[in-house]
Amino acid sequence: GSPVMTYMDDVKKWNSVYVPPTDRNFADHVCIRNCMSKDLGLPEEDFDNRTAIEKFIRDIDQDFSLVMILEQLDQSLILLRRRMCWMFEDIIYDNLYWSRRMRYRKRDVITEIRRQNFIEENYADYLLYNHFFAALLDKIEKEGTDFDLELQHFKRINTVIGRN
């Protein structure tokens, strides 16, 4: 199997044998568990403390009125545009670079056991992501019927401009 699947077969084992760099210049840039939560300020000693994680997520929810989700990038950008009173030109992006050069081909199967292994070791990130993904969908739903029209319009504009 692939190295990623070998890792996912026994996440705890591989995380336990990992030796982080001792060079202080790199130590803060290394992450193998709960990387999103760590970047947002969750202390490593709270990675397995559900009460601390839930408080951490509530605090972030109070600090940020919008958390963008990559899998919902266009929708996130429309929400951001509306909140910032921006024009479409402010949120146009070029996705052709990635689509041409970084074609992902799913070769390995992420079994339920692999998924659970990963979630167990990255529980804070799992809760963080799911909370803000649901919050984003809720915000989109509250935007009204014109949101979908605006989203489709933006996708057309972004596709045409990205080709030039």
Side-chain angles (χ1 to χ4, degrees), residues 4 6-18 31-38 42-49 53 112-128:
V4 172
T6 300
Y7 171 76
M8 289 187 71
D9 283 337
D10 197 348
V11 176
K12 278 189 178 194
K13 170 190 167 190
W14 294 111
N15 284 356
S16 70
V17 298
Y18 173 75
C31 183
I32 58 171
R33 282 188 75 205
N34 296 304
C35 298
M36 292 186 299
S37 298
K38 179 183 176 191
L42 182 67
E44 287 187 42
E45 59 266 16
D46 288 338
F47 280 3
D48 298 310
N49 180 338
I53 294 167
E112 186 57 28
I113 292 170
R114 287 174 172 160
R115 185 178 170 284
Q116 287 303 321
N117 287 344
F118 186 80
I119 289 170
E120 188 176 311
E121 278 294 286
N122 293 281
Y123 195 60
D125 275 3
Y126 175 78
L127 291 178
L128 179 74

